[in-house]
Amino acid sequence: MNEIKVLDREFSEYITEDEIQSRITALAEKLNEDLKGHDVLFFGILNGAFLFAADLFRQITFNAQISFIKLASYEGTGSSGKIRELIGWNEDMTGKTVVVIEDIIDTGNTMERIIGELTLRKARDVKICTLLFKPEAYTRDIPIDYIGFEIPNNFVVGYGLDYDGY
């Protein structure tokens, strides 16, 4: 099993690159099937989702747009409970189907904030696509439409997910 040290913590490989790429292909196929013919705007949540968003978007076969926002809620290995907007909303999403691309959903606090923003901006429909989901930590009632992997409530890094920026 592959091991990596990031700052003062050691991590073991949990999901292989092949498993990740295979699951992304399956998610893209489902999105292509479900959203063909819709006016779609993908929103990647930086920094963590940038690799996932790129790999997913390359496999989208219908005309769509992609943009990014940057929100921060983590300090070290835990959620701070506060969500800071670092790069804002610059796209007109009125009447569009918006697909939020997230690296990981744990408590759902950030997703709740995002859904509120998209509602204010008059998105026609909102779909959520996450690479990783921690059902044990999830405290919201927001449905998650596309899930790559359900994982235990452990801190994970890699494939864009960081530890204190590393």
Side-chain angles (χ1 to χ4, degrees), residues 48-112:
F50 78 99
L51 289 172
F52 176 44
D55 286 347
L56 181 70
F57 197 71
R58 276 193 285 256
Q59 296 185 53
I60 297 302
T61 58
F62 56 89
N63 289 329
Q65 296 173 295
I66 189 167
S67 189
F68 293 89
I69 59 172
K70 185 171 183 176
L71 303 173
S73 65
Y74 262 76
E75 293 175 2
T77 61
S79 177
S80 67
K82 299 174 187 170
I83 301 160
R84 296 174 298 143
E85 185 176 305
L86 306 175
I87 296 175
W89 310 85
N90 298 319
E91 307 296 330
D92 178 15
M93 55 201 80
T94 305
K96 294 182 188 263
T97 297
V98 176
V99 178
V100 178
I101 304 172
E102 186 60 290
D103 56 347
I104 188 166
I105 297 175
D106 46 30
T107 64
N109 292 342
T110 302
M111 195 53 57
E112 184 175 69

Side-chain angles (χ1 to χ4, degrees), residues 3-162:
E3 305 265 335
I4 185 171
K5 184 170 183 172
V6 179
L7 299 176
D8 60 340
R9 301 216 32 198
E10 291 193 20
F11 298 90
S12 298
E13 184 177 64
Y14 184 71
I15 303 170
T16 68
E17 182 178 353
D18 288 344
E19 289 171 321
I20 291 170
Q21 293 307 320
S22 176
R23 189 66 188 122
I24 290 171
T25 296
L27 289 169
E29 288 172 356
K30 184 69 174 138
L31 285 159
N32 286 328
E33 176 184 317
D34 292 352
L35 301 179
K36 183 178 182 180
H38 292 247
D39 187 6
V40 179
L41 171 62
F42 286 86
F43 254 117
I45 311 302
L46 297 174
N47 284 344
F50 78 99
L51 289 172
F52 176 44
D55 286 347
L56 181 70
F57 197 71
R58 276 193 285 256
Q59 296 185 53
I60 297 302
T61 58
F62 56 89
N63 289 329
Q65 296 173 295
I66 189 167
S67 189
F68 293 89
I69 59 172
K70 185 171 183 176
L71 303 173
S73 65
Y74 262 76
E75 293 175 2
T77 61
S79 177
S80 67
K82 299 174 187 170
I83 301 160
R84 296 174 298 143
E85 185 176 305
L86 306 175
I87 296 175
W89 310 85
N90 298 319
E91 307 296 330
D92 178 15
M93 55 201 80
T94 305
K96 294 182 188 263
T97 297
V98 176
V99 178
V100 178
I101 304 172
E102 186 60 290
D103 56 347
I104 188 166
I105 297 175
D106 46 30
T107 64
N109 292 342
T110 302
M111 195 53 57
E112 184 175 69
R113 166 85 180 266
I114 291 168
I115 297 296
E117 292 289 338
L118 294 173
T119 301
L120 286 173
R121 287 166 169 72
K122 300 182 179 6
R124 183 179 70 79
D125 192 18
V126 177
K127 303 290 184 188
I128 300 169
C129 181
T130 186
L131 179 63
L132 303 173
F133 175 59
K134 296 180 179 180
E136 296 168 26
Y138 196 58
T139 60
R140 302 293 184 240
D141 292 325
I142 301 164
I144 302 169
D145 305 283
Y146 305 93
I147 297 172
F149 300 93
E150 288 189 5
I151 64 169
N153 191 16
N154 298 325
F155 189 79
V156 294
V157 297
Y159 195 65
L161 288 87
D162 70 291

